[in-house]
Amino acid sequence: MKYAQMLVISALIAPPLVAQDAHKHDGMAGMDRGSMVSLKAQREIASVEKSVEPLNSTDAARAAGFHPVFGWIPTMGVHWVNTPRMARGQQVDLKAPSNLMFSRINGRDSLVGAAYAFYSPITDSTRPSLFDGGPTWHEHTQLAPAGQTLVMLHVWFVPSPDGPFAGTNPNLPFWALGLEAPDAARMHDAAYATRIRRATLALAEVADSTSLFPSLAMRADVRAVVVPRRDSIRALIPELRTAQAARDAARFDRAIDRAGAQWDTIYASYVASARTAEGKRRITEHVAMLMSDHGDHEH
């Protein structure tokens, strides 16, 4: 599939029950999705959840014509795409999203969100209005044919510190490892949010070692850096769990900073291993996207 191939190239550089499961993990004051949108938008999100409830397993999604375009993206999950729905262009249907997003919660692949996506001419700036408040669509020009852009809008069924329409959700790697989500209220502090997002990618390295740059990680020089630091990150997971259980924010912060420092070293090894300036650019842009709510920016 063209869409899948483009996403793979780029990578080189639940129903209400699922949402409830995630809320059980959002200790340290995880933010409820409804606190950032209108009541009407909350009802619209609930209607999307209900419409995809029959697709709350990967088997059900596959039987309904969805297929995974590639692996787990640490702050987005696995995108399952329905190509005919994408082909409708701007004729999107609120209750028929073209993408489903799965990520591991409580040891199982859980439906954590959905997305609407279509190709649009670069010259066309009009976007469908699906939800109250008009959340901004984001674009990926490098994932589209020449002269076009890939337009997307995510909607999360689980808590997200940046709201239900954020491009990324840093809670996912925490849940994948059986941890609670970080304190979403503190994520409004930009410096703290950066600390959490660094730790998020550190945790992603051990939640799924193939999620970021598996080809680079196989190189002997990179592997010599990555493997011992993954071990150090794994050793921090019990400390994070203990801090969360005790509601000890200071202890939790110390642990995430140690995890973030391990990620900084891993990331530096990835960048240093790139053999071309273009390769370095792709790595840095990919990581920047994963660490941010990419909103309406292009990547």
Side-chain angles (χ1 to χ4, degrees):
M1 306 300 298
K2 181 181 292 183
Y3 180 54
Q5 291 169 344
M6 290 177 178
L7 284 174
V8 170
I9 292 171
S10 177
L12 291 176
I13 53 150
L17 176 61
V18 172
Q20 291 166 7
D21 285 346
H23 276 284
K24 292 176 183 177
H25 283 271
D26 83 344
M28 309 286 280
M31 179 175 292
D32 183 86
R33 69 180 189 201
S35 63
M36 301 181 73
V37 298
S38 69
L39 289 174
K40 181 178 180 181
Q42 291 178 48
R43 290 194 295 268
E44 290 166 338
I45 294 170
S47 73
V48 178
E49 276 190 275
K50 184 176 180 180
S51 71
V52 299
E53 184 171 355
L55 307 177
N56 67 344
S57 72
T58 54
D59 286 343
R62 192 184 302 277
F66 290 83
H67 59 276
V69 291
F70 68 120
W72 183 65
I73 307 174
T75 56
M76 300 181 206
V78 181
H79 284 67
W80 284 65
V81 176
N82 184 300
T83 304
R85 290 186 182 182
M86 277 192 61
R88 297 172 184 170
Q90 297 220 26
Q91 303 303 311
V92 294
D93 182 342
L94 179 73
K95 296 183 179 180
S98 59
N99 287 223
L100 302 173
M101 296 183 293
F102 285 85
S103 194
R104 192 158 290 270
I105 297 177
N106 284 337
R108 67 183 180 90
D109 290 330
S110 303
L111 183 60
V112 295
Y116 305 85
F118 60 90
Y119 293 110
S120 175
I122 291 177
T123 56
D124 186 356
S125 61
T126 59
R127 301 289 180 258
S129 180
L130 286 179
F131 296 91
D132 186 56
T136 305
W137 295 68
H138 60 270
E139 301 182 26
H140 299 279
T141 53
Q142 86 281 21
L143 300 184
Q148 296 189 357
T149 183
L150 176 63
V151 183
M152 297 193 74
L153 177 65
H154 288 166
V155 56
W156 296 101
F157 303 151
V158 295
S160 167
D162 298 307
F165 303 113
T168 58
N169 189 338
N171 292 343
L172 300 185
F174 285 86
W175 288 327
L177 292 170
L179 297 166
E180 297 177 356
D183 184 345
R186 297 180 69 193
M187 293 287 281
H188 292 296
D189 180 295
Y192 184 76
T194 297
R195 292 163 63 192
I196 288 293
R197 293 176 194 278
R198 287 167 56 228
T200 288
L201 295 188
L203 296 176
E205 283 283 341
V206 300
D208 183 348
S209 62
T210 68
S211 65
L212 288 170
F213 305 104
S215 296
L216 296 180
M218 291 177 62
R219 297 178 183 174
D221 55 336
V222 179
R223 185 172 178 80
V225 174
V226 170
V227 170
R229 279 152 187 85
R230 285 177 177 166
D231 290 341
S232 296
I233 295 165
R234 288 188 187 93
L236 287 169
I237 295 173
E239 176 70 6
L240 288 165
R241 186 174 292 114
T242 298
Q244 289 183 325
R247 297 296 183 261
D248 188 335
R251 185 174 182 178
F252 178 81
D253 288 356
R254 289 192 295 271
I256 64 161
D257 285 343
R258 290 165 62 190
Q262 298 296 334
W263 162 250
D264 290 344
T265 302
I266 291 173
Y267 175 43
S269 72
Y270 286 147
V271 174
S273 71
R275 294 174 177 144
T276 66
E278 175 64 13
K280 292 181 188 295
R281 184 188 67 80
R282 290 183 179 181
I283 291 170
T284 56
E285 286 190 355
H286 188 64
V287 169
M289 178 184 70
L290 296 177
M291 286 189 65
S292 69
D293 170 23
H294 51 277
D296 62 346
H297 300 292
E298 295 179 3
H299 304 285

